[in-house]
Amino acid sequence: STDAECEGLSADLRGCDLAGNCGGGFGSALRTLKSGLARTSAMLDEHAHALANLRIRSDGQEQRMAVMCERLETVVASPHEALRAEVLQIREKDRHDFNTQLGTLSQRLQAF
């Protein structure tokens, strides 16, 4: 419909001469322009409204995700620290066992 309106506008303006004198088609062209401007303005308003709604939804989603992350950190923090302590304890035991075995091997080598 926009192409048809543009062709109609072009046809209406063809009646104008170089001095700017236009026939009756000028008023029609002006009405076509105003109509197109009104529709474009309405569409722009609709898009602005839709964009505002998307912003509200995305902000809400962002807040929900932040709360979920905080809850997840709270749930995971305690087991994570327990696992870390257990790994440190096992590492220390392994180090002690290694040093004991190294000391025994060193004594055997000195005795040999």
Side-chain angles (χ1 to χ4, degrees):
S1 75
T2 305
D3 289 337
E5 289 173 357
C6 286
E7 287 177 17
L9 178 63
S10 177
D12 289 343
L13 291 177
R14 278 191 207 119
C16 296
D17 60 16
L18 293 176
N21 298 322
C22 298
F26 185 72
S28 175
L30 198 52
R31 284 189 296 279
T32 302
L33 281 174
K34 286 181 181 180
S35 171
L37 181 60
R39 277 196 318 277
T40 303
S41 179
M43 288 173 54
L44 184 59
D45 289 344
E46 287 178 25
H47 289 150
H49 181 70
L51 184 59
N53 285 339
L54 284 174
R55 283 186 185 140
I56 290 169
R57 279 192 255 161
S58 66
D59 288 347
Q61 191 69 13
E62 182 181 348
Q63 290 173 354
R64 285 189 290 278
M65 291 296 289
V67 168
M68 189 181 347
C69 286
E70 289 174 10
R71 288 179 182 171
L72 185 60
E73 285 177 10
T74 302
V75 168
V76 171
S78 180
H80 183 258
E81 287 301 317
L83 178 64
R84 182 182 298 216
E86 187 175 340
V87 168
L88 287 174
Q89 185 180 10
I90 291 170
R91 184 186 292 168
E92 191 60 37
K93 182 185 177 302
D94 287 345
R95 183 179 291 138
H96 178 68
D97 291 347
F98 175 77
N99 286 335
T100 302
Q101 290 176 0
L102 186 62
T104 303
L105 182 61
S106 178
Q107 288 174 358
R108 285 184 184 174
L109 285 174
Q110 286 179 356
F112 182 63

